[in-house]
């Protein structure tokens, strides 16, 4: 099976969130299973600055409405055995950020990712990759399935498409006059196609035209077919019910491994947590918190956005920190008002709460390793990787029962690995944290919960196999023979 993974971000090259973890680590997991996978993404400025790349000497033009843009293909030394290709176009991608500045999205994102989607297919042809399946991720690559069924049908007749929804809230909606940029005829601009309330909806192209659609957890797959979670696309998704699967994300358990992690103060494993105690003490020192092994330390590593339940958390903090002996470290960036709110709270509870605004891989490791608990009260969560990383590092998660959080965390009061609340309210969140605090007070019980968190299987083993089975079935059904 030859698989080409097309994504707008992938570790280790560029990352704004879990999509990058998934695209990068899934490609590596496939290689470990003998499948032939490669990765293709835009050549952003930071990729050029941080990685040694090689031009392949392949250059081509991509029509974009009345103009054409040039694409050049680069490659990187194989990251963990996976060939990675990069589409260079400095006009579109030589920028500081992937999608926009802190002030908002880049105004030409439609052009940038229409260009990228088409360049992926052109690159696959020119590199003679002959993929059996192009696995497309989120709206930035969602036009690829439509291209394979229209403009490129005769040139890539033996390539099937799988489209994965990582977050239905970001759909790539643009005004209808961007339609000519796609090079796809207006006959596709219909309610059955990519039209959505008078606009183009790129995510809808992926949902409608992909041979198979997936999302990143079984619960989210069910939720997005409801009015409450469907973001206006629940009807479209229901139409594809027979081709919609929920496959739980995994994490790269080699990279996220407290037993070998060189970035933390001391390594540790489920049977000997003494290293974790040192990590906690180091985090307390770094964040100006009282050094105390007995005081529970809760961590948050998150985009600060409405999705993540940050304002619920802020309201709950006042009660939790006001009433209990607990410390809190927040690492996050995003919405300016939420950033200010978390900083204000840290000022109010100085010495017990620390907020670090920014994106820092290094600090993220230290928070996961140093925290006893991990708070993730997301309003909705397609899958969520942070709670899995936290569990791997022995930080017991406290989560809202939604999407992938519901599929990965089970209530410790019923023998599970964390604390789960139903009903998105401050009271329910506070009650769940209080259950966690009570358990923390009982050393043996807490050790049992930490152990069940740490020993869960969060690897790609099962899910990568599920994807491979799905690719095979999709290929056979749509192309008509065995790959
Ligand atoms: P989402 O993709 O919705 O942001 P996930 O839980 O799937 O949520 O993935 C988030 C990923 O981004 C995790 O790897 C997490 O550690 C990382 N992350 C989030 N915020 C930060 C931050 N401020 N600094 C460093 N890493 C972060
Ligand atoms: C999105 C979702 C998150 C998921 C990630 C990777 O960013 O918000 O829940 O884990 O994609 O699939």
């Amino acid at each position: 099976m030859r698989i080409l993974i097309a994504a707008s971000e992938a570790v280790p090259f560029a990352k704004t969130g879990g999509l990058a973890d998934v695209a990068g680590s899934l490609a590596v997991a496939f290689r470990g299973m003998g499948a032939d996978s490669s990765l293709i993404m835009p050549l952003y400025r930071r990729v050029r600055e941080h990685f040694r790349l090689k031009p392949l000497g392949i250059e081509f033009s991509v029509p974009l409405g009345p103009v054409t843009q040039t694409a050049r293909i680069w490659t990187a030394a194989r990251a963990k055995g996976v060939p990675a290709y990069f589409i260079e176009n400095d006009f579109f991608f030589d920028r500081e950020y992937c999608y926009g500045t802190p002030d908002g999205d880049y105004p030409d994102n439609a052009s940038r990712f229409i260009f990228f989607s088409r360049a992926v297919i052109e690159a696959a042809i020119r590199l003679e990759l002959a993929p059996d399946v192009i696995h497309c991720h989120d709206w930035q690559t969602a036009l690829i399935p439509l291209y394979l069924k229209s403009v490129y049908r005769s040139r890539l007749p033996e390539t099937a498409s799988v489209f994965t929804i990582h977050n239905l809230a970001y759909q790539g909606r643009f005004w209808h006059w961007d339609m000519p940029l796609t090079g796809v005829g207006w006959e596709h601009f219909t309610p059955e196609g990519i039209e959505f309330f008078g606009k183009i909806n790129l995510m809808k192209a992926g949902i409608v035209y992909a041979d198979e659609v997936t999302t990143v957890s079984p619960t989210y797959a069910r939720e997005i077919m409801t009015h409450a979670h469907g973001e206006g696309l629940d009807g479209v998704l229901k139409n594809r019910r027979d081709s919609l699967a929920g496959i739980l994300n995994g994490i790269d358990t080699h990279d996220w491994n407290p037993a070998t992690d060189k970035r933390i103060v001391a390594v540790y494993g489920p049977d000997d947590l003494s290293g974790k105690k040192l990590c906690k003490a180091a985090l307390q020192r770094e964040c100006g918190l009282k050094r105390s092994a007995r005081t529970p330390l809760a961590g948050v590593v998150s985009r600060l956005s409405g999705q993540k339940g940050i304002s619920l958390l802020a309201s709950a903090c006042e009660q939790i920190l006001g009433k209990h002996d607990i410390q809190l470290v927040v690492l996050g960036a995003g919405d300016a008002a939420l950033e200010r709110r978390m900083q204000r709270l840290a000022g109010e509870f100085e010495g017990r709460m620390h907020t670090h605004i920014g994106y820092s891989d290094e600090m993220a490791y230290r928070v996961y390793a140093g925290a006893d608990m991990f708070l993730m009260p997301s309003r909705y969560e397609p899958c969520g990787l942070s709670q899995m990383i936290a569990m791997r590092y022995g930080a017991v998660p406290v989560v809202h029962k939604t999407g992938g959080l519901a599929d990965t965390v089970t209530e410790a009061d019923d023998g599970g690995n964390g604390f789960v609340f139903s009903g998105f309210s401050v009271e329910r969140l506070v009650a769940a944290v209080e259950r966690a605090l009570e358990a923390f007070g009982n050393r043996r019980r807490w050790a049992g919960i930490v152990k069940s968190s740490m020993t869960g299987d969060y690897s790609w083993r099962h899910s990568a196999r599920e994807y491979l089975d799905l690719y095979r079935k999709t290929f056979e059904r749509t192309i008509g023979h065995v790959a």
Side-chain angles (χ1 to χ4, degrees), residues 52 125 134 142 172 246 253 281 285 287 322 343 367 399 404 413 462 470:
R52 200 169 323 136
I125 295 169
I134 303 185
T253 46
R285 197 166 44 244
C287 297
Q343 277 175 316
V367 176
V399 305
D413 280 1
H462 299 290
L470 182 93

Side-chain angles (χ1 to χ4, degrees), residues 173-241:
R173 298 185 195 168
F174 302 100
W175 76 327
H176 65 287
W177 285 120
D178 283 335
M179 191 65 194
L181 298 178
T182 63
V184 171
W186 283 99
E187 69 275 15
H188 293 283
F189 190 74
T190 63
E192 294 71 40
I194 69 173
E195 187 267 352
F196 186 76
F197 295 100
K199 292 187 162 189
I200 300 176
N201 185 324
L202 295 182
M203 169 111 22
K204 198 175 165 208
I207 297 170
V208 171
Y209 296 99
D211 295 316
E212 192 74 27
V213 180
T214 75
T215 188
V216 288
S217 69
T219 297
Y220 193 59
R222 288 191 296 276
E223 286 173 346
I224 56 179
M225 286 189 278
T226 65
H227 180 67
H229 290 276
E231 302 281 350
L233 290 175
D234 36 305
V236 182
L237 286 157
K238 269 195 258 177
N239 284 341
R240 298 235 47 198
R241 180 189 292 272

